[in-house]
Each structure stands twice: as C-alpha cells, then as structure tokens.
C-alpha cells in the first residue's frame, strides 16, 4: 500500500522559512520591537533557494526569516523586557494624559525596564575571536557617532560613551602596537589593526560636521549603537585585561574638556591599580618653561626614552621587549634560486613599535592631530607635541623645542621668503631659546614633512624619503595598502611598459597621434584585400569571367566584414605570408618600373608610424591567433561548461577593460608629461 | 357563525371579497371532512384578509379577537349591532334558502298553498357528509372576475338566483367608524391573569407614559431636597451631649512628643537628612566584565551566513590617487547623469594636493546607515564563488601545428558551371575532378590547374545529382545520375590507351552476361518490370565516352561504389520499395535488396572492408550484413533529417551530417547514440566525408557556405576513444538562395579537398 500522500507545504523549505509578518505575529510584538530584537540578536532575512516553494507559489517580494531563528527568539528574555516596557509606557502615557508629570517621572524612573545586552554578546560571540571578527562595523559606527554632534535623536550621553569607548580602544591599539595599515581616502581615514590574528578595518570620518539630513533613521542607527557600545565595552575589557591593564582606565574629565582626547585617559597596570598616584592633573599645571627645560633634558640622551613613558606600566613594556627578543620571526631567504618563496608576515610588532620610536614629532596646527597622534603613538613614537590650540595632552606645545626631530606641516612655504615676525620677548626678558615658527623660520636639523609621509611610512613599514614629502612639494600618489594587483590588472606601482601586453603601447601611441584611424578595422580590411588579391592571381590563368570575379570580390568583401567576428579557424601563416609577399611583390614591381624608366629606386624608409603599425600588426595577429585558438577550444566544450566559461569571462573582461582604460590614460599622461618636459 | 359573515362584510374592497368566497368554499369542503370548529378556520381566513386589506384600522382587527372570546360588553354589542345592520344580505332569507338547498337532492315536487312549486324532501340519511346545513349563502357566479359586475349594483347571485347586492363601500364604513369612539381605557390587550380585556385607567396610563419618558412617576416627588445639616460646626443652643470637654483635648500628646523626639534624634545622629538634594540621574553604568571568561568555541550553525565585510578601499578612493584613476570629463558627466542606484562606484575619485584641502565626505552618515540597513534587512544568501581558472575548463587540444597537414586555403576555383554545382568527385588517381550540376552537364576538371578537360550533357532538363568515380585505379569509370538514369562514363580522351581499354572491358563484360542471362530472368519474373534497364545511351553520348545507361524507376540522388568497383548502390528517396538498388557492373544487373524499407532512404554506403551495407533513412542508420542477409545494427543519431553519412576507412566509425545543423560522430563499438555531437554550423549540413587516403581528417559542407575541417583520429586500441579536434573553417562559397556548399570530396592521398558550391564554382582547398 502506498503511504499517505504528503500534503504540500508541510515540510522542507515551506516550513524552514517564515515571512516577516508571520514572525511578528508569532512573537506578538510590534514591528519596531521586532526590528530592535533582530538587530540585537543579529537575525537577518534569508533568500530561500526556491522562493516559490516557500511562499506557496506566490512570487511577490517577501522577506523571509529562518523559522528556527524566530523560534529561538521566542525564548529571548528581551521579549519580556519589551512587553514590560510597553505596559510601563502605557502607564506613563496615562499619567501624562492626566497631567501628572511627577507620577510619570516616578514611573519612568522606577518601573522602566533597563535593557541589558550582556547575555546577547555572549550568545552571539561565543569566543572572543568571534567578537573581534565582527568588530569592523562596530568600530566604524562608533567612531562616526563619536564625531557627531548631539541632537534630539542622539543624546549627548551616547556620544560621550562612544567617544570614551573608541578612545579606550585606540589606547589599546597604541599599547599593543596592533595598528598595521592606514589609508587616507576621500571618505575618511581607514585603519587596520591586527588583534589576535584578526584583521580589523575601520573607517573614521574627517572632523567635519556630518550631513545627517535626508532619509536617515536614527532609531535604527541608535539600536546598532546600543549594541555596539555594549560589545566594544566588553571587548575593551578583555583587551585591557589581556595586556595587564585595568579597565576602565581612569578618565580625566578636565583634560577631556580641554580637548585632551586620548590624553584624557590614564592607563594603569594591574600592579599599579591600587597605588593610583600618577595624577594626570600634574601635566596640565606644569610651568611651560620648566617643562621645556625638562623636555630638553629628556630628549638629549636617547637611552632614557623609557622613562618618558608616563602611563604605560614598565612591567608590561618589559614583557614586550623580552618577547621581541626571543619570539621575533626570522626571515627565510631561499638559498637556491629555483625554490618557492613562501609569504611571511610583513611587519612584526617589534618593527612597528620602533618605526617612529627615536623621533619627537611636532604637529602644526593645521594637521589632523587626532589621527596623527594615534598613528604616531601606535608606531612607537612616545613624544608627540602639537600646537596648544589643538588641545590638551601634548608632549610639548613649544614649536622651537630642540628635542623635536620631525615637524608635520600641511601648509605651503611662503613664496616670497618673508622674514620671521619679531620674536616676542619672554617675560623673563632674555630670548632663552630661539623661537622658530613655520613658515617664517625653520629649525636646522629638523625634518619638515607633510602628513602623508606618516601614512606612507607605516604602509611601507619603513621610513620614506622625507624630501618627497617636503612642504609645498608635489606629493607622490597615496596608494591604498590593501590592493594586491592580480595578473592582468593594472598596478600603478609598476612602470607602464612592464604591464602592457605586446603591441598595446604602439596602439596607444597611434591613438594619441590620430584618433580617426580605426586601427583594427583597417587591419582586417587589409587582410581581406590580400586574400582577394591572391584569389585574383590564382585565376589569372583561367581568365574566363573577369568582370564577374570583380563583382564577386566586392560581395566577398562585404560578407567577410560581416563574418569577421565569427570563428575563422586559426589563421594559417600562409595567408599573412602571402600578404607580406604581396607587399614584396609591389615593391618588386616598383623596382621594375623604376628600372624601366631609368630612375633610381628610392628606398622607402619606414617611418615611425609605419614601424608602429608593423609592430602593432604583429601583436594583433598574435592576439588574434590566440583568440582563434581559444575559440577552437571553446568549440569542444559542452554547453554547460561553455555557459560557465562565459560567466567567468564576463568578470574578467570587465576587469581587462578597466585596466586597459587605466593604462591608456596613463600612457596619455606620460606622453603629455614627456612633451611638457621636452618643451 | 352569523357574526363571522358580518365581519366579513366589514371588508370593503372587492378583491378580498372574491378571496373570501373562495375561502368560503374551501371552508365548506373542510367542513365535510373535518368536524373542526369553524371559528378557528374562519379566524385564520380573517387574518389573511386583514393582512391583505390594510385599510382596516387596527382597532377593528383587535375587535375580532374579542368576539372570539364572546365576551361582549354593552358598548361592544352596540357597535356590532350597528355593523350588523349595515349588512345588505339579510340572513333570514339566506338561511331559508340554504335549508331549501339542503333538501334538493331527494325531493318530490308538489304545489304548495301559494301555488308555487313545492318540493317535498325525503328523510335525510344522517351520514357524515349529509349535513350541509351550515353551508353558507355564496355567490354562484363561479370563477369569473368580479370586475364584470362593476357597473351593476349587485355582485352576483346566490344559490337561489337572488342578487347579492354590493356591500357598502369603504368610505361609508370609515365615516361610520369615525363616528364611533373607542371606549375609555380600552387597550386592546388581554389581562393574562383573568383572560379578560385589559383596561387601564387614566392614572395608570399616565404612569406608563412617565415611565417611558424616564420621568418621576410620583407627583410632587423632589429628587433634590434641601439639605438639612444635622451635624454642623454651628454651636447649638442646646448641645446634643452635655459632657464636659476631656482633658486630653487641652494637653499636648506625649506619644507624639516621643515620636518627634525619635526623629530629632535621628536627624541629630545623621540617620535622617532633613533635606535630600534631588539626586542626579545616576544611572547604573554598564558594568563590564570578562564575558568570555569561559569561552567555548561553538561550531557555526550550518545555516548561519555571517555578514560580508565591506571591501577595503582601492586606489581610486585615495585623497591623492594616481592621476590615471581620476575620471575624465566624459566619465564624470556619465557618472553624474546616472541614477544614484545605478552607479557602479558611489563616489567620484578626486584629487587633493594636500591633506588640509580634503573636505568632509558628504554621504558618510548615509553610507553607514545603509550598511546598517544591509546588516539587518538585506536577505542573505550563500553564493558559491566561481573560483575556477577558466583555462582549466578549456580542453587541452593538440597544437594545430602537430595536426598538419590539412587544407587551409582555397587553391583553385573551377568556374564554368551554370547554376548550382550539385556534386563533386575526385578520381582515385587524384588527377581529375568530376562535377555535375543544375545545367545537366558532367564536367571533368584537371585538379591542379582548374582546367575543364571534358564535359558531356547528360540531360537537358534535369540536374546531375551525383557523380562518383569508381574507386579502383586500374580502370577509370565515372558514374553519374540524372533523374531516373544512371550513366557509366569512360572519359577516354583523358585516359591512356591501356586504362581506356581496361575501363571499356569492365563495362562491356556485362553485355554478354546480360545477353546470356535474360531467359532465366524472363522465366522467373516475366510479368515484373526489371528494377533497372541496362542499355546503350546512343551514339552522341557514346562518342563522348558515356557507355552505359541504366534506367531505374525513380530519380537517383546518391551513388556509392563498393570498394572493389564491381557494385554500386544507388539511392532514390522517392521510390519506396525501389529506393535502394545495388547494381552489379560485371553482370549488368540491378537488384533491390529491400522489399520494404522503413522510412525514406537518404543515402547508402558499403562498409570499406566487410560485407556490410549501411542505409540511412531520415532518422536512423541501419547496417545490414549482405552475406547473412540480416540487420546488424540500428543507429539512432537523434537527428531529424539525415543528409549524408560517411564511413570511416577503418569501418568502425560513421559521421553523419544532418539538415538540422549537426554533425554526429558515431562509434559503432560504443552505442547506437552519437559519441560526439558537433554543432558549429549555422545552417544545414549537406555533405560529410572522411579522408580515404590515410589522413585523420574529415570535413563537412554546409549551407552557410563554409566547410569545416576536423581532425578525427581513430586509434586501433578499443580502449581509446576517437579524438576529434576542430581545425579549420574554410569560407569561400557564397550563399545563393540559402544554399552554400553542396558537396565535397577528398583527394585520394593529399590533404586536399574539393567542394561544390551553389554559386556555380568548385573549389579546391589545400
């Protein structure tokens, strides 16, 4: 007996997916609450493989969730919180309706349930590495919110929290030298840190007022921020404790008010935590002159550097140093030239920690202090000073401090070489130190560079030539450190000749010379003419219907143009030989004519253009041969594989076209440059 | 009973009247059957009437109920009396008549005292139906519309032929009823307790009215009386109680003092703060701890799809990119004109020569917002990335250089044919090419030079459909077919004398045989027409070298020689049973191997080494063992219409060309389905041919004017399949009226092939 016939839609995909409406109904919450819940729990819609099976034949656009996800949500403690919240909101609404503001306030204060997301963090990220893996979006979002002004949608408290958390994170990155790369894009500054083997990439906007108009729903963003702040808090805690620091670090509100930013936090080692003596207030109240003297003293011997580390515990650093000595990676050099080269980690943390370590930087007031301070410190620089206008926490605010080795400048030098304004006398009466102030005067021995130098240095993990980045110099292009050019892709680092396929250079050159000449078409026609000529020559003996053959040739011509795109087998050498032979024949004919008339044969020297044409033609031919070979291979493919190949080739072709445009542009630019130089 | 009739008369409209009478009749019948009290039936009838005649006022209808009760009050009686008086038909007469009627059936006629006829009735037999006494006086006009009586004062006749006068009209009745006033307190209701009509007094009605209006029922009731303050602060002259004020009313409370002191003490000790400043919104801060203290890796759920990370920025996102990444004017314009959704990149690369000049990114917040929307709103689907090297998909083909030689170019064009060239054949020596076409000529060309060396017109109107050289080198014989005739030609002008001699001998051998044989054949199949008639074609053609003419029954399209040259097969698709014929040259004999062939034969061919014969019909290819005379195999290429086949010189492989643009390679050892299907032509394939001289080549000719040359290597090893490699497309033939290349043939030894085109040319490719 056959089993009972199964009813449609009772198992499989139809049961595995659930529409949003049904999910909301099942959970008995409102849509905004559902949205919040989904954001917190990281639940996202799915695209079923077969939509028709899921939606019982209807093809209307619907959002589907995985049914099990929704089932898990049924037991979520947050659901109860949401319901409580709803009932309290009702009560408050009633109180407000009666005009009992006090009652409403009391209700809000006492009864409003507080949403805690701790358990969700643990649930979504069972291990710490999982959390790190998902930190990209969290950091980008929080850095954005840290830079937003408070508004009715975004309470100031949230912004303060975002600022605190992001700065704490930056402190960790500085301490652990986890920063690897950074990139100045037109969107903002990208940073990439590697923490516990996870690459974390985040984007920080430039410090401008963000445009928040339009259709941006800050409730959604707010929900994300709520989750991300919790996440980053826990991550920070774990990161701090993992390097032996106390979390949360001490926060100096006063310094923060004065624009201390990073300096407003004071990290403490676990051992120091109880002592808590090092009050950052001291730094602020130091007499500038005394500070200057102290700085000078401090800067003179390099060996005393470590003393300058005010906040980071010596113990932690000591550990790091030891590790570097013993556990650093050795570079493997292949002994024989034919061996494979294995990829090795590029920059060890030791290298990173020491890139800027010997230098003292001074940031001019037009430079982006926050990002520079962060990067410089993350790459080992202990002493970063800046103009007092940029905020609290500088190593020095005195530009003429002799300890400064590098000054970062983003202003062009004065064109007319204006003299320095009169140095205002100190209160002490004597000009104790020479006052230098860019651009009026420079300090001898100090390196003046533009900010891009810092970024290029860290991306190359070596110090770049500062003269390329001198103030007012035309900067070399700033390249993204994340692009690895694949085969056939354009790479701006390499010279153009190295990446051009054969014959392209000549084609570009001709393009520049003469745009009307459609090079490829002309080529094809020539070939066809050659073939036709040859046919004519074959027929000479017969001579039956010449007129007819002429007309045939014409039609042949037109037809072959149509068919030019189609597969033509592979070109045999014979044809081109013949066409070359044709040229030779013409040449010979000319010689004979010249001989007959008694003139001297003029040797036609190939012009440059002709040479180009020849080279190009050769390259063209080769390319066409390759193409034909490929077509021939394609003929033997099965239909399925052919389609697959088509799909793959689509992307490849697009990439090829892109890189070809880039090469063309570059060739043009280089040519223009050469022309300008020649002039 | 009389009351009822009276009541009926109340009804004023004529139509109810008629229904009334009907009801009456029905009643009468019922009466006979069921001894029901008439009142009830009468009642129901009445109600019907009343619903119909809505003009009757309610008061009256209520009245009816009452007279059922038979509780007439004096007023009531009076009204009834008056109504009764209105009745036009006098009851007494009617009654009398009725009685007379009753006696009718059994009577004796006598004359009474007045001189009238008198009926003397017999005694009534009191059976059940006999009593007719209560039958009523009815109108006897029968079932005709009452309107017929409209202009008469009467409405019909009773059973005695007396006129029934028209009852009083409604107006009169209304006037009467208006003059009657309803008794006081009459409600028309029945007191359920007593069963008597319920009369209410004026007061009672008033109470009811008030109740319905939500008024106070009682007269003079004040719902809001003036309050009398019995207990007030006012000192009465006479106190309620004369007790003196107690002492405790004058002495401060010790208990209270105690409690106050307690508070004072608490304040002094600081346990209670007299003023607590409103605390600021001290929210319990999020307490961070090590959530991952006891972390346990959890295997990822198989359905979990992590959100894809945003890709890192490329060179073009730089604030100072290499100049080639900057868009030129046209690109910029195109980008600006595109819709924001269609743009491939969300920003235009821009160059700033210093970091200080970089502005804020306008859509930063928007992009972040969209990213968060994507995170929670975008359906996620796992897509398999095609991480396949396209090169690995392409089959490794041998280098064409290794596969040489094969024809690549057009080496010669043979012109001179008028109309299409339908067939072409290269002679086994490889010196001449024979062709035939629409002009009816068979022409022979020199292969290398393209010179026409011989021609003969075989037919004036019909085209030469096929030419085929005999495949032996000792003699040079060409078979050609036009229409229903097959010619065997020895172009002796081109041949050396000994070859000519040999050729002539081959053909002439049969004459003798045919001359000696006929009696036997005539004996056995006298009535039957021979399938082929061998004869001499006439002197004109014989002078040219056309020596034998074979006439068959239907037009021959294909001729294929046996490898030894003694037999050839001809195929004429039209002739059903004579479609395939095998001709024996040495005996001048034509045989029909198949009495009945399934399908329409397209072509036939001998196996190159065995005694096997292949016949291709439209859809299938059958191979027959000629020695055993049995079917060996049926191949099913899956084609709709086979155009031509060719057998590999090894004999184990067949290529099939079809009109549905396919070229199929059959390996006879493998299966009856094609081993490879090649579809490279845009139009039908007309001819396919293997190279017979030992080169692994085959070619096809198609209507798209091209020939395709393939390398097809067959290895002797059974374990290894044939390798097929496309080599070359030879274009040259022009397509005329959707026909391109019609036929092709290979040179016997060289890698050259000859093709015939619809454009009137034959081309040599080498």
């Amino acid at each position: 007996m056959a089993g009972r016939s199964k009813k449609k839609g009772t198992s499989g995909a139809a049961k595995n997916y659930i529409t949003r409406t049904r999910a909301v109904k099942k959970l008995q919450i409102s849509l905004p609450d559902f949205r919040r819940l989904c954001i917190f729990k990281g639940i996202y819609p799915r695209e079923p493989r077969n939509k028709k099976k899921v939606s019982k034949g209807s093809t209307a656009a619907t959002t589907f969730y995985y049914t099990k996800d929704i089932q898990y949500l049924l037991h979520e403690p947050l659901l109860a919180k949401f319901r409580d919240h709803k009932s309290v909101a009702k009560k408050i609404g009633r109180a407000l309706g009666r005009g009992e503001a006090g009652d409403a306030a009391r209700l809000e204060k006492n009864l409003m349930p507080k949403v805690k997301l701790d358990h969700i963090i643990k649930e979504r990220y069972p291990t710490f590495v999982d959390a790190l893996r998902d930190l990209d979006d969290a950091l980008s979002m929080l850095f954005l919110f840290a830079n937003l002004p408070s508004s009715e949608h975004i309470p100031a408290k949230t912004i303060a929290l975002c600022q605190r958390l992001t700065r704490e994170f930056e402190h960790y990155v500085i301490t652990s030298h986890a920063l690897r790369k950074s990139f100045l894009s037109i969107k903002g500054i990208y940073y990439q840190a590697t923490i516990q083997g996870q690459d974390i990439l985040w984007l920080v906007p430039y410090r401008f007022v963000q445009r928040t108009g339009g259709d941006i729903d800050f409730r959604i963003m707010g929900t994300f921020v709520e989750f991300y702040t919790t996440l980053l808090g826990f991550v920070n805690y774990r990161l701090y404790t993992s390097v032996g620091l106390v979390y949360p670090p001490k926060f100096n509100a006063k310094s923060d008010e004065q624009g201390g930013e990073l300096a407003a936090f004071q990290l403490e080692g676990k051992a120091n935590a109880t002592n808590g003596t090092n009050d950052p207030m001291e730094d602020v109240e130091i007499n500038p002159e005394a500070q200057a003297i102290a700085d000078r003293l401090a800067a003179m011997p390099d060996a005393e550097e470590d003393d300058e580390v005010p906040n980071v515990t010596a113990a932690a650093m000591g550990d790091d140093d030891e590790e570097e000595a013993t556990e650093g990676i050795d570079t493997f050099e292949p002994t024989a030239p034919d061996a494979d080269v294995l990829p090795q980690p590029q920059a060890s943390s030791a290298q990173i920690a020491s890139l800027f370590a010997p230098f003292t930087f001074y940031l001019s007031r037009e430079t982006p202090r926050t990002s520079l301070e962060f990067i410089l410190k993350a790459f080992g620089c202990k002493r970063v000073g800046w103009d007092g206008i940029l905020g609290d926490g500088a190593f020095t605010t005195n530009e003429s401090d002799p300890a400064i080795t590098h000054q970062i400048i983003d202003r062009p030098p004065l064109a007319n070489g204006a003299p320095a304004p009169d140095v205002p006398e100190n209160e002490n009466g004597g000009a104790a130190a020479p006052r230098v102030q860019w651009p009026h005067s420079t300090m001898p021995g100090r390196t003046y560079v533009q900010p891009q130098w810092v970024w290029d240095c860290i991306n190359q993990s070596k110090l770049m030539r500062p003269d390329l980045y001198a103030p007012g110099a035309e900067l070399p292009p700033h390249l993204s450190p994340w692009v690895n050019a694949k085969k056939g892709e354009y790479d701006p680092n390499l010279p153009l000749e190295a990446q051009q396929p054969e014959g392209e250079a000549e084609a570009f050159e001709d393009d520049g010379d003469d745009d009307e000449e459609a090079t490829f078409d002309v080529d094809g026609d020539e070939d066809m003419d050659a073939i036709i000529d040859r046919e004519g020559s074959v027929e000479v003996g017969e001579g039956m219907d010449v007129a007819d053959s002429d007309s045939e040739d014409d039609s042949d011509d037109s037809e072959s143009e149509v068919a030019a795109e189609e597969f033509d087998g592979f070109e045999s050498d014979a044809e081109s030989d013949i066409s070359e032979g044709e040229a030779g024949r013409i040449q010979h004919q000319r010689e004979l004519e010249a001989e007959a008339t008694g003139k001297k044969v003029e040797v036609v020297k190939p012009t440059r253009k002709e040479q180009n044409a020849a080279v190009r033609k050769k390259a063209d031919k080769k390319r066409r041969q390759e193409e034909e070979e490929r077509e021939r291979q394609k003929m033997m493919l099965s239909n399925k594989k052919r389609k697959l190949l088509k799909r793959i080739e689509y992307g490849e072709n697009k990439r090829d076209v892109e890189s070809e445009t880039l090469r063309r542009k570059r060739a043009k630019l280089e040519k223009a440059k050469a022309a300008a130089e020649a002039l | 009973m009389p009351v009822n009739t009276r009541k009926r008369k109340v009804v004023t409209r004529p139509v109810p009247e008629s229904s009334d009478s009907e009801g009456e009749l029905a009643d009468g019948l019922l009466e006979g059957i069921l001894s029901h009290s008439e009142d009830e039936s009468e009642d129901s009838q009445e109600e019907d009437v009343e619903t119909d005649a809505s003009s009757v006022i309610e008061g009256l209808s209520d009245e009816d109920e009452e007279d059922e009760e038979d509780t007439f009050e004096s007023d009531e009686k009076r009204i009834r009396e008056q109504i009764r008086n209105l009745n036009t038909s006098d009851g007494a007469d009617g009654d009398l008549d009725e009685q007379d009627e009753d006696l009718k059936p059994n009577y004796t006629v006598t004359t009474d005292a007045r001189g009238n006829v008198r009926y003397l009735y017999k005694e009534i037999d009191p059976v059940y139906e006999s009593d007719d006494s209560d039958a009523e006086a009815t109108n006897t006009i029968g079932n005709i519309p009452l309107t017929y009586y409209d202009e008469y004062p009467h409405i019909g006749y009773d059973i005695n032929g007396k006129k029934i006068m028209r009852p009083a009209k409604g107006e009169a009745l209304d006037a009467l009823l208006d003059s009657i006033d309803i008794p006081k307190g009459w409600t028309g209701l029945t007191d359920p307790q007593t069963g008597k009509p319920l009369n209410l007094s004026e007061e009672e009605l008033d109470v009811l009215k008030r109740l319905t209006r939500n008024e106070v029922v009682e007269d003079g009731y004040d719902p809001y009386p003036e309050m009398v303050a019995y207990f007030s602060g006012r000192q009465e002259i006479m106190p309620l109680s004369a007790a003196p004020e107690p002492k405790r009313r004058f002495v401060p409370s010790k208990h209270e003092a105690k409690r106050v002191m307690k508070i004072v003490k608490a304040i002094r000790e600081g346990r209670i703060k007299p003023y607590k400043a409103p605390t600021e919104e001290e929210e319990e801060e999020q307490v961070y701890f090590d959530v991952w203290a006891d972390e346990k890796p959890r295997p990822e759920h198989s359905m979990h799809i992590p959100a894809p990370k945003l890709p890192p920025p490329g060179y073009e996102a730089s604030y100072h990119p290499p100049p080639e990444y900057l868009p030129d004017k046209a690109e910029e314009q195109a980008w600006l004109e595109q819709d924001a959704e269609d743009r491939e990149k969300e920003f235009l690369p821009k160059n700033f020569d210093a970091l200080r000049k970089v502005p804020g990114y306008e859509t930063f917040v928007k992009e972040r917002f969209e990213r968060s929307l994507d995170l929670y709103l975008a359906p996620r689907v796992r897509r398999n990335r095609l991480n396949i090297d396209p090169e690995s998909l392409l089959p490794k083909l041998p280098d064409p250089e290794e596969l040489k030689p094969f024809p690549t170019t057009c080496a010669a064009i043979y012109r001179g044919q008028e109309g299409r060239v339908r067939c072409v054949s290269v002679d086994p020596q490889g010196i001449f090419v024979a062709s035939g076409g629409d002009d009816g000529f068979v022409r022979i060309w020199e292969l290398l030079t393209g010179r026409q060396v011989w021609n003969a017109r075989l037919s004036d109107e019909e085209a030469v459909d096929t030419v085929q050289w005999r495949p032996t080198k000792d003699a040079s014989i060409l078979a050609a077919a036009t229409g229903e005739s097959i010619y065997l030609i020895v172009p002796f002008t081109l041949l050396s004398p000994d070859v000519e001699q040999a050729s002539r001998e081959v053909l002439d051998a049969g004459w003798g045989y045919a001359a000696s044989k006929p009696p036997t054949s005539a004996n056995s199949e006298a009535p039957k027409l021979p399938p082929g008639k061998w004869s001499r074609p006439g002197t004109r053609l014989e002078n040219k070298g056309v020596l034998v003419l074979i006439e068959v029954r239907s037009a021959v399209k294909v001729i294929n020689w046996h490898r030894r040259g003694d037999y050839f097969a001809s195929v004429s698709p039209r002739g059903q049973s004579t479609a395939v014929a095998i001709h024996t040259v040495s005996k001048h004999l034509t045989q029909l191997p198949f009495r009945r062939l399934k399908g329409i034969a397209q072509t036939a061919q001998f196996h190159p080494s065995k005694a096997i014969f292949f016949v291709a019909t439209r859809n299938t290819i059958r191979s027959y063992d000629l020695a055993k005379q049995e079917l060996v195999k049926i191949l099913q290429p899956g084609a709709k219409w086979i155009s031509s086949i060719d057998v590999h010189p090894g004999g184990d492989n067949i290529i099939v060309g079809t009109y549905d643009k396919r070229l199929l390679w059959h390996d006879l050892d493998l299966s009856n389905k094609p081993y490879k299907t090649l579809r490279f032509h845009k139009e039908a394939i007309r001819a396919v041919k293997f190279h017979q001289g030992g080169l692994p080549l085959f070619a096809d000719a198609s209507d798209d004017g091209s020939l395709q040359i393939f390398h097809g290597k067959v290895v002797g090893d059974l374990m290894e399949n044939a390798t097929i490699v496309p080599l070359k497309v030879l274009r040259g033939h022009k397509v005329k009226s959707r026909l391109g290349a019609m036929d092709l043939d290979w040179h016997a030894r060289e890698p050259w092939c000859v093709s015939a085109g619809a454009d009137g040319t034959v081309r040599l490719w080498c």
Side-chain angles (χ1 to χ4, degrees), chain A residues 39 137 140-141 144-145 187 211-218 220-222 224 228, chain B residues 307-308 310 339-343 345-347 361-380:
Chain A
I39 291 171
D137 286 310
S140 296
M141 182 72 101
L144 167 65
F145 267 69
K187 291 185 183 181
R211 217 169 69 171
T212 54
D215 46 357
I216 293 165
D217 189 351
F218 274 97
I220 294 171
M221 303 262 273
F224 271 102
Y228 286 152
Chain B
L310 284 175
D339 274 346
E341 292 97 42
D342 299 340
R343 287 173 184 163
K345 266 182 296 186
E346 71 270 37
F347 59 89
Y361 186 58
E362 271 195 348
T363 53
F364 195 99
V365 183
K366 190 154 184 276
E367 272 180 22
R368 267 291 109 207
F369 174 62
E370 273 161 9
R371 168 68 178 170
S372 42
L373 282 189
D374 281 351
L375 283 178
Y376 93 93
L377 213 55
R380 293 187 197 166

Side-chain angles (χ1 to χ4, degrees), chain B residues 344-364:
Chain B
E344 210 160 297
K345 266 182 296 186
E346 71 270 37
F347 59 89
L348 264 185
K350 267 186 197 153
N351 185 32
F352 302 97
D353 50 4
L355 185 58
R356 71 172 187 281
K357 292 182 181 168
V358 183
Y361 186 58
E362 271 195 348
T363 53
F364 195 99

Side-chain angles (χ1 to χ4, degrees), chain A residues 134-394:
Chain A
D134 225 11
L135 215 54
D136 283 22
D137 286 310
L139 282 173
S140 296
M141 182 72 101
L142 295 185
F143 269 103
L144 167 65
F145 267 69
N147 284 318
L148 283 181
S150 69
S151 68
E152 49 183 331
H153 309 295
I154 321 158
K157 237 169 42 192
T158 310
I159 289 165
L161 180 62
C162 291
Q163 284 173 347
R164 187 168 71 78
L165 288 169
T166 51
R167 281 176 197 152
E168 283 167 3
F169 180 75
E170 281 182 337
H171 264 300
Y172 168 77
V173 171
I174 290 170
T175 316
S176 62
H177 301 295
L179 193 66
R180 288 291 175 276
K181 283 163 183 171
S182 181
F183 175 58
L184 294 162
S185 87
I186 55 171
K187 291 185 183 181
I189 304 172
Y190 284 91
Y191 297 97
Q192 189 186 42
T194 306
I195 300 171
Q196 302 199 358
Q198 297 295 322
D199 284 339
I200 301 165
L201 178 74
W202 73 95
L203 173 62
V204 180
Y206 292 118
R207 290 244 169 138
F208 288 99
V209 175
Q210 300 292 338
R211 217 169 69 171
T212 54
D215 46 357
I216 293 165
D217 189 351
F218 274 97
R219 283 177 307 170
I220 294 171
M221 303 262 273
T223 314
F224 271 102
V225 166
E226 196 179 345
F227 176 72
Y228 286 152
T229 46
T230 320
L231 172 65
L232 190 59
F234 283 115
V235 168
N236 279 350
Y237 183 93
R238 172 87 179 197
L239 290 174
Y240 271 61
T241 43
S242 70
V243 293
L245 295 174
V246 173
Y247 188 83
K250 272 197 179 157
F251 178 64
N252 184 351
K254 198 174 172 193
S255 169
D256 192 48
E257 263 169 37
Q258 289 170 344
E261 300 197 350
L262 281 178
F265 292 87
Q266 186 198 350
L267 308 193
E268 291 171 331
K270 282 254 167 74
N272 279 12
T274 44
N275 302 346
T277 49
N278 205 355
D279 195 346
M281 300 284 276
E282 283 171 16
D283 292 343
V284 186
E285 284 158 13
I286 285 170
N287 182 357
E289 274 141 344
Q291 175 69 41
I293 293 161
D295 287 350
R296 226 171 305 147
L297 285 170
M300 270 188 285
D302 257 1
E304 281 181 44
E305 251 177 41
D306 284 356
D307 297 358
E308 289 295 319
V309 188
N311 297 337
V312 181
T313 53
M317 288 305 297
D319 282 350
D320 276 1
D321 284 345
E322 272 173 29
E323 275 174 9
E324 280 159 26
T326 54
E327 293 179 15
I329 293 177
D330 298 323
T331 44
F332 283 75
E333 297 284 346
T335 49
D338 56 338
D340 285 335
V341 180
L342 296 172
Q344 267 191 295
Q346 287 166 339
S348 66
S349 75
Q351 232 178 323
I352 287 162
S354 60
L355 187 64
F356 295 134
F359 308 131
T360 308
F361 281 89
Y362 184 84
L363 313 178
S364 289
R365 62 186 158 85
E366 69 278 0
T367 53
R369 171 216 143 181
T370 323
S371 46
L372 279 171
E373 185 194 357
F374 172 52
I375 290 178
L376 290 172
K377 286 188 170 167
F379 278 82
C381 182
K382 303 289 188 314
R383 302 172 301 273
V384 185
W386 54 77
D387 197 297
I389 220 169
L390 290 176
D392 192 26

Side-chain angles (χ1 to χ4, degrees), chain B residues 143-169:
Chain B
N143 191 15
I144 58 163
L146 266 182
T147 48
Y148 291 1
Y149 290 87
D150 273 355
E151 54 263 46
Y152 301 103
H154 60 279
I155 55 165
Y157 304 92
D158 64 9
I159 199 130
N160 288 326
K162 289 258 172 88
K163 284 177 181 170
I164 300 171
M165 298 312 289
R166 191 178 296 281
K169 289 282 181 192

Side-chain angles (χ1 to χ4, degrees), chain B residues 236-261:
Chain B
E236 298 290 335
I237 295 163
M238 287 298 289
L240 288 175
S241 156
E245 287 275 303
K247 187 185 175 185
R248 62 176 181 277
R249 303 240 173 108
F250 307 103
V251 179
S253 159
K254 268 186 191 165
H255 175 70
E256 274 177 8
K258 237 179 177 172
R259 290 190 63 179
V260 167
M261 273 322 289

Side-chain angles (χ1 to χ4, degrees), chain B residues 640-660:
Chain B
K640 290 201 185 91
W641 195 338
I642 293 169
S643 63
S644 66
I645 63 169
D646 197 22
V647 185
H648 189 266
D652 280 343
N653 296 278
I654 295 183
I655 47 173
V656 181
T658 69
Y659 288 117
D660 42 353

